[in-house]
Amino acid sequence: MYKIIGADGKEYGPVNAEQLRQWLTEGRVNQQTRVLAEGNTEWKTFGEVAELSPSTTPQAVSSLRNSDQSSARDMVRGPAIFILVLSILNIPYCILMYAFQDQILGLSTMPEQSAALQKNIAKFFSLPANIFGVLLSVACLIGALKMMKLQSHSFAIATAIMMWIPCSNFCCFLNIGAGIWALVVLQKPEVKSAFE
């Protein structure tokens, strides 16, 4: 017989091993769920308790994999959608900033000589910076879509880090927040193991 600590932090049980295996298949517990075997004093994760290993039939393995992937997909959905939306907004932002840079700089209250110098500097750096911003946004958009499908963990990590680059984007603080949120979720062991 076993006791477990549920997602709500409460203790449940005692239940037998078969019931726990069934809960694992249903997604009610996962490999990280804390388990205490009767007569023991040390809590372990579900995955550390050899007696609780599910049957190794292809159906059981497939069911367990699907359950873990479904749980991981739910966890990455929020940050992935956040990155997706910001990336979509960043693309037209970069294009509009380049198209209207003269009008924006024309609103400046600087002396005429300083304003002219600033316009020349902007013309030199603006096009490469905005092209880089669009390419970065497209890369993040693709990374967010792959993240939602649990494809390429390393590309998902790179996407989260790319969101920190403050280059011609819609809202720097939101981008950084989305990147941090994604990175925290992507570092969870149950999410890492669910990626293809």
Side-chain angles (χ1 to χ4, degrees):
M1 299 296 278
Y2 300 89
K3 292 181 181 179
I4 66 161
I5 296 179
D8 58 2
K10 294 181 181 175
E11 195 174 295
Y12 294 95
V15 294
N16 62 32
E18 190 57 42
Q19 182 64 54
L20 281 178
R21 283 191 211 98
Q22 179 64 32
W23 286 356
L24 181 66
T25 307
E26 294 169 358
R28 294 174 63 186
V29 298
N30 61 37
Q31 295 294 322
Q32 305 308 314
T33 300
R34 307 296 291 165
V35 177
L36 179 67
E38 194 173 46
N40 285 350
T41 57
E42 182 186 351
W43 288 86
K44 295 182 177 182
T45 63
F46 192 99
E48 292 174 325
V49 182
E51 308 88 63
L52 296 178
S53 295
S55 167
T56 54
T57 64
Q59 296 86 355
V61 170
S62 173
S63 174
L64 179 58
R65 174 86 175 143
N66 290 341
S67 170
D68 287 348
Q69 282 190 321
S70 176
S71 174
R73 209 172 265 116
D74 289 343
M75 293 171 80
V76 300
R77 186 175 292 123
I81 289 172
F82 196 16
I83 290 172
L84 187 70
V85 169
L86 289 172
S87 298
I88 290 169
L89 292 172
N90 286 340
I91 294 169
Y93 177 81
C94 290
I95 294 167
L96 290 172
M97 285 301 288
Y98 179 72
F100 294 104
Q101 71 180 353
D102 287 341
Q103 290 84 345
I104 293 167
L105 290 172
L107 299 173
S108 173
T109 57
M110 284 197 261
E112 198 172 309
Q113 189 177 8
S114 297
L117 177 63
Q118 188 176 11
K119 282 183 182 181
N120 288 335
I121 292 171
K123 283 182 183 175
F124 182 75
F125 288 109
S126 182
L127 181 61
N130 282 295
I131 288 173
F132 180 72
V134 168
L135 293 175
L136 195 64
S137 297
V138 169
C140 289
L141 191 143
I142 293 166
L145 292 172
K146 285 186 167 289
M147 194 185 303
M148 284 194 275
K149 295 177 184 175
L150 299 178
Q151 295 174 340
S152 182
H153 187 262
S154 56
F155 189 42
I157 292 283
T159 299
I161 292 169
M162 282 189 285
M163 289 300 288
W164 299 351
I165 300 173
C167 179
S168 299
N169 51 46
F170 176 66
C171 183
C172 187
F173 294 114
L174 287 178
N175 284 344
I176 292 170
I180 291 170
W181 183 16
L183 202 59
V184 167
V185 170
L186 290 168
Q187 292 302 320
K188 294 185 177 183
E190 61 269 32
V191 172
K192 272 186 186 179
S193 63
F195 269 79
E196 295 174 5

